[in-house]
Amino acid sequence: MKTHYDRVIRIDDLADHVGLSVSSLNRHFRAVTAMSPLQYQEQLRLQKARIQLIAAPHDVAAVGYVVGYDSPSQFSREYRRMFGAPPGQDAARLQGMATVQE
């Protein structure tokens, strides 16, 4: 999942790949990560996006597409839910913190 975070992952295919039923996969995955496989993928995507936005804060929509979101509004909404601020605003804040520390 870490390698292909930007792709659509079907839980049925993932369960087949690891040789488990869907319910067993979800149970084992949640026991290890405290989240579902799709929640884990979303978290990976948003963390990768945050790193990319620090380097290119002016291109929020492009970063959203690169990490696997089809819609800029969906990306922005989920980013804000996870990090508490819209992507561009959060990236600017993080850049400012990095500048002050240097």
Side-chain angles (χ1 to χ4, degrees):
M1 289 185 79
K2 285 184 179 182
T3 306
H4 303 292
Y5 66 88
D6 57 335
R7 298 182 188 167
V8 174
I9 295 176
R10 294 189 56 241
I11 299 303
D12 292 345
D13 294 340
L14 185 59
D16 285 343
H17 182 72
V18 297
L20 295 171
S21 68
V22 171
S23 61
S24 184
L25 171 69
N26 281 320
R27 187 175 57 254
H28 289 292
F29 204 93
R30 192 171 293 276
V32 173
T33 64
M35 60 187 82
S36 73
L38 293 178
Q39 289 170 325
Y40 182 78
Q41 180 188 32
E42 180 179 321
Q43 185 178 28
L44 283 174
R45 284 179 173 180
L46 293 172
Q47 288 171 346
K48 297 287 186 178
R50 195 176 206 193
I51 291 166
Q52 291 182 20
L53 282 168
I54 292 169
H58 58 280
D59 210 352
V60 172
V63 169
Y65 287 121
V66 166
V67 298
Y69 287 93
D70 294 328
S71 159
S73 62
Q74 177 192 15
F75 168 61
S76 185
R77 185 173 49 252
E78 291 183 14
Y79 189 100
R80 180 190 305 241
R81 188 178 354 197
M82 184 166 182
F83 296 117
Q89 184 180 351
D90 185 50
R93 181 185 63 82
L94 292 171
Q95 282 184 324
M97 288 174 56
T99 303
V100 168
Q101 290 178 357
E102 291 174 357

